[in-house]
Amino acid sequence: MEIPPSANNQPRLTPPLQQQGGSFPEGQPRRKRKMIIAIAAGAAVVLAAAIGGLALLVLPLLSPAQDMSATAKTYFQALIDGDGEKALSVSDPGVPENEKALLRNNVYKSAGQHIDGYRILEARSDFVTAEVTQNGRKQEIILRMTKTREGAWKVGPKNFQKIRLSSSRPVNSFTVNGVDVAAPDPGTGARDSQLLMPAFPGEYTLGVSGDKYATAEEQKALISIDRAISKSSGNLKVIPSLLLLDETRTLLENKRSECTASTPGNASEASSRGCSGFALYEYRPTRNLKWTIEKEPTFTLLRGEDSWIIQPEKEGKASVSYEVNSGRDDAPQWEPKVELVAPRVSGEIHIVDGKATLEDR
């Protein structure tokens, strides 16, 4: 059918036929694909950025330097608090359990001169550098770190100083800050006892225990952040306890009473009876003796091989009144006499079945 011309006699154009099925006009599918690709690319960039940011947040938490710093902070704070158990949980002193006695709370809590401040300076490789303050002294130190099989960082054995205790005679146990610490068995014939154990920075009071008749003058040991001024050994001189001194004094007084009750007639008898300090050394017969003690002799006890030796310090002062026969046996002439004597003490103290006994000499 012929299409009539337009009003201005121009031919009419035939309109294009519409595509079936609702398809896009020609050219639109290509633009759509480009748009989808662009959106996908943008999403990939955003996802990559998010993953990168998350990695930046997570990686520092997993870095060895951060782990070591965290361990060092826990360790130093525990030392400030006097919490030996906490400090021990993040450290490895490199000794068996029975040698960790000085690191426990019952000992370390009462130690003096704990560290009182710290600042982490650097953490790398297997060490942490820190500035630590102890009793007003500031020192830069290096913590050598070790890694457990589980991958955790700990303060390693090289950081620990050890306290060495020794005694002039074998003892059952030492005391550190008032806590009994068993001494190793010295063996037969030993002349002393020795103990070596790691300790945290601080000041420790050392002594001996385990024997009611023996003690020692207390000493101080200092574990300092500056190893050059640490005093980590204590040589304890074993001395008699007050109980042993008191019991020895009683034994000597009992012996004196025995001697003065019947004064020996000669030096030989006096020596055999352990009464040499109360002998008159009068060769003539005597009677009616009466002793008056004006001043007691003093003594000290020195540790012997297996006993305590009574060592006279100051002589005592005494007087004795008696009668002496200046005549013959068949015609006695008793004359009164007064003599001044300086009594002294001697002998050894032996511990028999847990009791002090006096042996004359």
Side-chain angles (χ1 to χ4, degrees):
M1 178 172 100
E2 184 178 355
I3 299 174
S6 64
N8 54 7
N9 296 319
Q10 294 294 327
R12 293 182 182 271
L13 297 177
T14 304
L17 294 176
Q18 187 175 357
Q19 304 255 348
Q20 293 183 353
S23 299
F24 289 105
E26 187 178 355
Q28 287 189 6
R30 185 176 299 162
R31 289 195 301 269
K32 184 67 174 180
R33 286 195 298 272
K34 289 182 178 180
M35 184 179 298
I36 292 174
I37 293 171
I39 292 173
V45 171
V46 172
L47 181 60
I51 293 173
L54 182 61
L56 291 175
L57 290 174
V58 173
L59 284 177
L61 298 178
L62 302 178
S63 70
Q66 291 293 326
D67 286 347
M68 288 192 296
S69 292
T71 298
K73 289 177 181 179
T74 300
Y75 177 73
F76 286 134
Q77 188 59 53
L79 297 184
I80 292 174
D81 298 336
D83 191 342
E85 301 293 343
K86 184 68 173 179
L88 190 56
S89 71
V90 292
S91 61
D92 176 16
V95 296
E97 286 298 317
N98 63 342
E99 295 182 20
K100 296 179 181 179
L102 307 191
L103 307 174
R104 303 298 182 187
N105 276 352
N106 59 347
V107 172
Y108 188 59
K109 195 73 175 180
S110 55
Q113 299 190 33
H114 295 159
I115 71 166
D116 43 41
Y118 71 94
R119 182 166 64 94
I120 304 297
L121 302 178
E122 183 184 22
R124 63 185 178 89
S125 185
D126 61 349
F127 64 86
V128 174
T129 304
E131 185 180 76
V132 182
T133 306
Q134 181 185 22
N135 196 31
R137 185 183 186 88
K138 189 176 291 185
Q139 182 84 11
E140 186 174 306
I141 66 172
I142 295 176
L143 287 183
R144 296 291 180 181
M145 310 296 288
T146 59
K147 207 169 189 179
T148 66
R149 292 180 178 179
E150 296 76 19
W153 286 101
K154 286 197 171 187
V155 176
K158 292 183 179 179
N159 303 284
F160 286 83
Q161 300 178 59
K162 293 186 177 183
I163 291 180
R164 180 183 297 276
L165 292 93
S166 62
S167 60
S168 59
R169 302 296 302 173
V171 297
N172 294 328
S173 60
F174 294 98
T175 62
V176 183
N177 294 343
V179 178
D180 287 355
V181 180
D185 183 2
T188 305
R191 295 180 176 271
D192 60 7
S193 291
Q194 300 278 344
L195 184 66
L196 182 66
M197 286 188 172
F200 294 126
E203 186 180 54
Y204 299 80
T205 302
L206 313 177
V208 299
S209 67
D211 186 344
K212 66 179 180 178
Y213 289 133
T215 185
E217 296 178 356
E218 289 186 341
Q219 291 190 22
K220 300 287 187 181
L222 175 65
I223 300 299
S224 174
I225 54 175
D226 183 357
R227 293 180 180 238
I229 65 174
S230 288
K231 183 182 180 297
S232 56
S233 63
N235 187 14
L236 300 167
K237 182 180 179 181
V238 178
I239 59 177
S241 67
L242 291 177
L243 176 63
L244 182 57
L245 291 171
D246 288 342
E247 291 192 9
T248 300
R249 191 173 293 109
T250 299
L251 290 170
L252 291 172
E253 288 174 355
N254 293 340
K255 188 64 182 180
R256 182 195 67 192
S257 298
E258 178 188 327
C259 292
T260 57
S262 57
T263 302
N266 54 59
S268 177
E269 182 185 351
S271 178
S272 65
R273 288 177 52 194
C275 296
S276 56
F278 297 92
L280 292 178
Y281 303 104
E282 174 63 65
Y283 66 93
R284 296 173 295 180
T286 59
R287 69 180 185 181
N288 299 330
L289 282 82
K290 182 180 180 180
W291 284 87
T292 301
I293 306 297
E294 300 177 16
K295 185 180 179 181
E296 294 282 358
T298 61
F299 65 92
T300 59
L301 291 175
L302 301 180
R303 186 68 173 164
E305 188 69 27
D306 54 3
S307 66
W308 293 92
I309 301 171
I310 299 173
Q311 188 77 14
E313 263 189 337
K314 294 182 180 180
E315 291 182 340
K317 186 178 181 180
S319 63
V320 58
S321 62
Y322 57 94
E323 291 179 327
V324 62
N325 183 12
S326 59
R328 300 190 309 270
D329 290 342
D330 57 346
Q333 295 182 5
W334 295 102
E335 298 177 357
K337 191 173 182 181
V338 176
E339 187 175 336
L340 297 178
V341 180
R344 59 184 179 83
V345 293
S346 63
E348 293 183 6
I349 299 296
H350 291 261
I351 309 302
V352 180
D353 296 329
K355 184 178 180 180
T357 60
L358 175 63
E359 181 180 298
D360 300 323
R361 72 170 190 170

